[in-house]
């Protein structure tokens, strides 16, 4: 058992840009693409992720986050729960007992769901299984029961896999990612909220007719409506609020303009590698499984971060989040390290609202406001989880939390259901199984229609 855990720990430590080529190459060969073609596809995807990480970490991480942190200092904010960021949350999750087994457990869950026709997704995004482990670790602490924590992690994964299937056609159409789904524990949790509010907006006169999207902006403003200039302008605004001097303003503006240009190009490189594997998966399923519909490759939602509307909304809402943290009664979280991951919250919200920036911003304000309260509520459990794995607490911090996954609404629901003990587990498990059964019916209906055509 220790050998298996050490092996998966080694694989996880290699990082996405190394693991992805290996996984894609093996998957391509299994699907009959041949070694050379599969290897090229895998390496192309790996290079795409290297590009994404360079843009996100070097431009977003080192440009946007410090500007917003300077805004925090300028306005003298004093909130007592520190946002330690997703790398710390992932380390806490994977350092827990649930985290030690989550990768082999997640692979088994995915295989079982594929065999029972309750998912269409082959989730190769194994390093992001930490989101499920995070939920499981908190439940294990709350209930003092490791078994319930493991069950909670599995329930979380089942729900996310179903939501990934359901939103995959939107991902294909809006984000231009054919054959891809996004079963991401953080991003996908916001999809039901976006669907609910999108329906509500459709029922409200006047509001339902407001449509702000990048296509309209570009048509109205010409070259000044292009993503590179919008990003640059937003960089100037954020830098101005941070009190930057002229040289700092220019650097931030050009950096954020570069983000809006470079991320879509890196996503296109990813697609160049994935399309042959996606096509091979479809052919394989049609030959081997006559009753199956379309099969999707499950990826990290980073591949969708580059959508112009997603980034434009995020640039507006990052400074807004600081304002919300100050004015919301009961909030104790100081947004800090995770400010750069705000775009991940909107990767699926954007296609659900069909690129409508107005709806995206309204939904964004709601999820950010509620997310801060969720992060505050879960802070004691997250702090305990951190201490259990000997996490180095920030100097002077009595409690820690995070936006990713501390502000995750699905994580909060699954954790708080366990305030009711075993009954909470039963309710959560029943809900997840019902969702999986509904997905099976939907998949079989879709497969029947596809084969009839």
């Amino acid at each position: 058992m220790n050998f298996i855990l050490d092996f998966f720990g080694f694989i996880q430590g290699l990082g996405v840009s190394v693991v992805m080529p290996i996984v894609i190459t093996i998957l391509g060969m299994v699907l009959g693409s041949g070694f050379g073609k599969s290897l090229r596809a895998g390496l192309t995807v790996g290079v795409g992720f290297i590009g994404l990480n360079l843009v996100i970490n070097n431009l977003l991480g080192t440009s946007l986050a410090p500007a917003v942190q300077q805004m925090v200092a300028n306005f003298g904010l004093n909130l007592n729960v520190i946002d330690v960021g997703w790398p710390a949350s992932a380390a806490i999750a994977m350092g827990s007992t649930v985290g030690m087994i989550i990768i082999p457990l997640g692979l088994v869950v995915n295989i079982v769901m594929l065999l029972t026709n309750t998912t269409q997704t082959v989730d190769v995004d194994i390093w992001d299984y930490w989101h499920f482990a995070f939920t499981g670790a908190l439940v294990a602490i709350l209930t003092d029961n490791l078994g319930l924590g493991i069950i909670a992690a599995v329930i979380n994964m089942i729900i996310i896999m179903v939501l990934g299937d359901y939103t995959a056609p939107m991902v294909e159409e809006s984000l231009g990612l054919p054959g891809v789904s996004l079963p991401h524990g953080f991003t996908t949790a916001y999809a039901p909220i976006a669907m609910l509010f999108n329906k509500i907006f459709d029922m409200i006169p006047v509001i339902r007719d407001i449509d702000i999207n990048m296509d309209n902006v570009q048509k109205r403003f010409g070259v000044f409506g292009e993503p590179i200039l919008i990003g640059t302008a937003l960089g100037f605004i954020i830098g101005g609020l941070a009190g930057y001097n002229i040289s700092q303003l220019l650097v931030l503006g050009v950096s954020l303009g570069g983000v809006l240009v470079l991320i879509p190009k890196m996503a296109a490189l990813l697609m160049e590698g994935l399309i042959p594997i996606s096509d091979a998966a479809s052919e394989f399923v049609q030959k081997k499984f006559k009753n199956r519909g379309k099969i999707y490759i499950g990826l990290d939602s980073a591949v969708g971060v580059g959508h112009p509307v997603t980034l434009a909304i995020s640039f507006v809402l990052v400074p807004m989040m600081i304002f919300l943290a100050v004015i919301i009664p009961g909030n104790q979280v100081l947004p800090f390290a995770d400010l750069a991951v705000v775009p991940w919250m909107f990767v699926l919200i954007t296609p659900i609202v069909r690129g409508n920036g107005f709806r995206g911003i309204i939904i964004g304000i709601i999820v950010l406001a509620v997310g801060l309260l969720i992060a505050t509520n879960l802070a004691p459990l997250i702090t305990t989880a951190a201490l259990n794995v000997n996490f180095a607490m920030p100097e002077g911090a009595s409690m820690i939390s995070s936006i990713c996954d501390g502000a995750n609404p699905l994580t909060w629901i699954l954790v708080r259901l366990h305030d009711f003990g075993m009954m909470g587990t039963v309710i959560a498990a029943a809900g997840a199984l019902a969702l999986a059964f509904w997905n099976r019916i939907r998949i079989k209906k879709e497969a029947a229609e596809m084969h009839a055509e």
Side-chain angles (χ1 to χ4, degrees):
M1 184 64 179
N2 287 335
F3 170 78
I4 295 174
L5 295 177
D6 290 342
F7 171 76
F8 282 107
F10 169 75
I11 293 295
Q12 184 191 17
L14 293 176
V16 58
S17 59
V18 175
V19 173
M20 181 60 92
I22 296 171
V23 172
I24 292 296
T25 300
I26 294 172
L27 182 60
M29 292 176 63
V30 169
L31 296 173
S33 286
F35 176 72
K37 189 175 181 181
S38 300
L39 178 62
R40 183 186 183 282
L43 290 174
T44 302
V45 171
V47 171
F49 268 107
I50 289 174
L52 274 175
N53 287 332
L54 286 173
V55 174
I56 290 167
N57 294 330
N58 290 352
L59 292 181
L60 276 182
T62 62
S63 298
L64 181 61
V68 178
Q69 290 162 11
Q70 185 60 48
M71 288 171 53
V72 172
N74 289 349
F75 291 101
L77 304 184
N78 186 21
L79 300 167
N80 63 358
V81 178
I82 302 299
D83 165 26
V84 294
W86 75 264
S89 297
I92 292 167
M94 298 307 284
S96 69
T97 307
V98 178
M100 290 175 63
I101 63 172
I102 193 60
I103 290 180
L105 179 63
L107 291 172
V108 170
V109 170
N110 194 182
I111 291 169
V112 170
M113 292 186 72
L114 286 167
L115 292 175
T116 56
N117 224 2
T118 52
T119 189
Q120 297 167 277
T121 294
V122 179
D123 188 4
V124 299
D125 184 23
I126 59 174
W127 47 87
D128 271 334
Y129 286 5
W130 76 261
H131 296 282
F132 313 132
F134 188 83
T135 299
L138 297 188
V139 169
I141 291 169
L142 179 67
T143 61
D144 196 25
N145 188 316
L146 176 61
L148 294 183
I150 293 171
I151 293 171
V154 171
I155 291 171
N156 193 348
M157 182 172 183
I158 291 171
I159 293 171
I160 291 297
M161 292 293 287
V162 173
L163 290 173
D165 287 346
Y166 186 74
T167 55
M170 304 178 199
V171 169
E172 289 187 307
E173 179 182 355
S174 177
L175 302 180
L177 303 175
V180 167
S181 67
L182 304 178
H184 188 272
F186 179 60
T187 296
T188 311
Y190 296 96
I193 299 172
M195 293 175 194
L196 172 63
F197 280 99
N198 200 45
K199 289 288 186 184
I200 293 173
F201 291 145
D202 285 338
M203 295 185 291
I204 302 175
V206 181
I207 296 294
R208 65 186 171 208
D209 299 322
I210 301 176
D211 186 4
I212 303 174
N213 60 55
M214 291 301 295
D215 290 335
N216 290 343
V217 170
Q218 287 189 232
K219 289 177 183 177
R220 180 168 304 215
F221 296 101
V223 67
F224 293 101
E226 292 182 2
I228 188 171
L229 291 175
I230 291 175
T232 301
L234 288 170
F236 289 159
I237 293 170
I238 294 171
L241 292 172
Y244 276 11
N245 59 37
I246 294 297
S247 62
Q248 291 173 314
L249 275 176
L250 291 173
V251 171
L252 181 61
V254 174
S255 295
L256 295 192
V259 168
L260 264 67
V261 173
L262 293 175
I263 288 183
K265 294 185 182 300
M266 294 304 101
L269 190 61
L270 279 169
M271 288 309 99
E272 181 184 333
L274 283 172
I275 286 174
I277 304 302
S278 177
D279 291 342
S282 297
E283 292 176 10
F284 181 85
V285 169
Q286 290 173 11
K287 290 178 182 178
K288 303 293 184 180
F289 303 96
K290 300 297 183 182
N291 64 328
R292 293 301 299 262
K294 188 171 183 177
I295 290 292
Y296 298 103
I297 305 299
L299 295 180
D300 188 305
S301 56
V303 299
V305 167
H307 193 286
V309 175
T310 297
L311 286 174
I313 291 171
S314 301
F315 290 166
V316 170
L317 290 179
V318 164
M320 173 68 74
M321 192 175 194
I322 303 298
F323 177 70
L324 291 172
V326 175
I327 67 170
I328 293 175
N331 173 58
Q332 299 176 39
V333 175
L334 172 63
F336 186 70
D338 262 346
L339 288 168
V341 306
V342 168
W344 272 254
M345 301 175 76
F346 299 97
V347 171
L348 284 178
I349 292 176
T350 295
I352 289 170
V353 300
R354 298 181 181 87
N356 188 324
F358 171 77
R359 295 189 179 192
I361 288 174
I362 299 301
I363 293 172
I365 292 172
I366 293 169
V367 297
L368 288 177
V370 175
L372 287 168
L373 294 176
I374 289 173
T376 299
N377 182 262
L378 293 180
L381 290 175
I382 295 172
T383 303
T384 301
L387 294 174
N388 286 349
V389 298
N390 298 317
F391 175 77
M393 296 282 285
E395 186 177 348
S398 59
M399 281 199 297
I400 62 171
S401 191
S402 66
I403 305 304
C404 175
D405 259 30
N408 188 323
L410 179 57
T411 295
W412 183 80
I413 290 171
L414 292 176
V415 170
R416 286 306 161 200
L417 275 175
H418 286 83
D419 285 332
F420 303 99
M422 184 62 72
M423 181 58 67
T425 300
V426 172
I427 293 171
L433 291 175
L435 199 60
F437 181 72
W438 168 82
N439 201 36
R440 173 183 166 86
I441 295 172
R442 186 190 62 80
I443 291 170
K444 294 183 72 173
K445 181 180 177 182
E446 178 185 295
E449 292 173 352
M450 186 175 74
H451 289 295
E453 292 176 0

